Amino acid sequence: MTGNLYRGQAGLPFSSTLRVYEPLEAFPEDQRPAIKAAGARAVPRAAVENAELLASLGRITRSGGDPFPTGRTDLVRVTTVPAPEGGAPDDGADADAEPVLLYCPSQLVLRAGLAANALMEGIHGPLAELLIPEEQRDRHQERIDQVKSRDGSIRVHTRASTWGIPFSWFSLFMESDRKDVVEAAGRILTVRVWAPITDALERARYAVANLALAAPDLDMLDDLAQLTEWLELFHVNSMVELDYGAVADKVYPDESPMDIRLGIECLAEGDMTGAAAAYRRLASRWIPIRQLARAS
C-alpha cells in the first residue's frame, strides 16, 4: 500500500509546509478548467501527499541527472469552507448552500526553480553545482520561462521548511483555529491547522507592528514582513494551512502558536521575563528537531 510510504516519509528529512488555498475565481481564467478538473477527482489527501513524494523520489533516482519536475502533471490540493453568509433572510439566499471549494496547485516547476536558486546561493553552492549539472539547470529555466509567459503574474501558493517550522509561521495561527490531526497505527502522521487569510494577515501585521517597536533587530521581524507581503498577494477569501508533516509525531500537542503570541505580547508590554520564558518553551521544543539536520 502506497500509504505506507507516506506514513514513513521514506526516511527523508522532516518537511513542513505553509499553503494558501484560493477560490477558483482567483486564478487566471484559462487555468480554471484544469484546476477545477484536478480538484474534481475523488483522491484522498493522503494519496495526493504520497503521489508527490513518490514523484520526487523518482526524479532524484532517474537516469540523465535531471532532478527537476517537467510540469507535465501538477497535483492540486482541495479543501472546503462554508459558503459565505448571504444577505438578509428574505433575499432568497439558500441557507443550505454547498461549501465552497478552495484550491492549492503544487506548482512544482516554479518551486523547484526557487529551491535550486536558494541552494546555489547558499553555503553548499559548489556542491550543488556538481550535483545539478548546468545543462539541467538551463533546461529547467526554460520550463520556468514557459510557465511565466503562459500564466503571467505568478503567486507561489506553497512554502516549505525542513527540520522544523519557522517561528514566524506560528504567528498566523491561534489555539482556537481548526485542526486536522491525521493518525494511523498509533502514530501522528501530520497535523494541519487552518486560518482564514484575513485572520492570518491581521495576526501577522500585529506581530510585525509590535516587534518593530520592541525588538527591531530580531530576525523573526524580517521573516514576518516577508510573510505578510506574500499573503497580501492572495484572494481575500483564501485559507492558510500549516501542515506539520511527519514532525507532528515528535511535537504534538504543540503550543507554539500560543507561545509566539504570548512572547510578542510580553515584548509589547516590556515584560522581558515573560518573553524569555515563551522563547525557552519554543527552544526546548524545536531546537532538538533542528539539530537532527546536523546529525549523522
Side-chain angles (χ1 to χ4, degrees), residues 66 68-70 109 139-147:
D66 186 355
F68 292 105
T70 62
V109 167
R139 185 180 301 173
H140 190 69
Q141 185 59 51
E142 293 176 3
R143 297 183 191 121
I144 293 173
D145 293 341
Q146 290 173 359
V147 170

Side-chain angles (χ1 to χ4, degrees), residues 8-289:
Q9 289 293 292
L12 297 175
F14 293 135
S15 179
S16 305
T17 50
L18 189 67
R19 300 185 180 98
V20 177
Y21 291 71
E22 290 192 287
L24 193 62
E25 62 266 25
F27 295 92
E29 192 167 351
D30 58 344
Q31 293 181 28
R32 294 176 191 173
I35 290 175
K36 187 176 181 180
R41 302 185 190 114
V43 179
R45 178 65 183 266
V48 174
E49 307 295 345
N50 203 58
E52 190 165 276
L53 179 58
L54 281 169
S56 67
L57 293 174
R59 288 194 298 273
I60 63 176
T61 57
R62 69 189 176 196
S63 59
D66 186 355
F68 292 105
T70 62
R72 285 193 291 268
T73 60
D74 200 17
L75 297 169
V76 178
R77 291 172 175 83
V78 183
T79 191
T80 59
V81 295
E85 295 183 3
D90 59 349
D91 67 358
D94 184 359
D96 297 322
E98 293 185 2
V100 175
L101 292 176
L102 301 180
Y103 304 86
C104 178
S106 291
Q107 299 173 294
L108 290 178
V109 167
L110 291 174
R111 289 169 51 209
L114 292 172
N117 290 340
L119 188 62
M120 295 297 171
E121 296 167 1
I123 60 174
H124 299 298
L127 177 60
E129 290 180 3
L130 294 175
L131 295 176
I132 310 176
E134 183 177 0
E135 178 186 353
Q136 306 300 346
R137 298 199 302 271
D138 291 343
R139 185 180 301 173
H140 190 69
Q141 185 59 51
E142 293 176 3
R143 297 183 191 121
I144 293 173
D145 293 341
Q146 290 173 359
V147 170
K148 289 183 175 180
S149 64
R150 182 189 69 215
D151 298 341
S153 178
I154 302 295
R155 302 183 309 282
V156 178
H157 288 69
T158 303
R159 293 190 167 203
S161 176
T162 54
W163 298 118
I165 298 174
F167 290 167
S168 57
W169 291 9
F170 292 120
S171 68
L172 307 180
F173 303 93
M174 293 189 68
E175 310 88 273
S176 57
D177 288 335
R178 167 189 154 196
K179 295 181 182 67
D180 295 334
V181 180
V182 184
E183 300 178 85
R187 292 183 53 212
I188 298 177
L189 307 185
T190 189
V191 173
R192 301 186 185 106
V193 189
W194 301 80
I197 198 168
T198 49
D199 291 349
L201 269 170
E202 181 179 352
R203 296 162 185 170
R205 289 166 179 157
Y206 169 84
V208 167
N210 283 283
L211 288 180
L213 293 173
D217 296 327
L218 202 64
D219 290 341
M220 183 177 160
L221 177 58
D222 290 335
D223 294 343
L224 272 167
Q226 294 175 19
L227 200 56
T228 303
E229 292 175 358
W230 176 62
L231 291 175
E232 287 172 342
L233 298 174
F234 297 96
H235 194 282
V236 68
N237 292 331
S238 301
M239 290 286 290
V240 184
E241 174 198 74
L242 171 57
D243 188 341
Y244 277 64
V247 77
D249 195 53
K250 303 295 184 184
V251 301
Y252 194 78
D254 179 35
E255 296 181 340
S256 297
M258 181 179 68
D259 288 334
I260 287 290
R261 177 173 55 81
L262 291 177
I264 292 172
E265 289 176 355
C266 288
L267 284 173
E269 296 168 1
D271 179 5
M272 296 298 110
T273 301
Y279 177 77
R280 282 196 298 271
R281 291 192 296 271
L282 283 165
S284 65
R285 190 178 303 125
W286 289 102
I287 287 180
I289 299 295

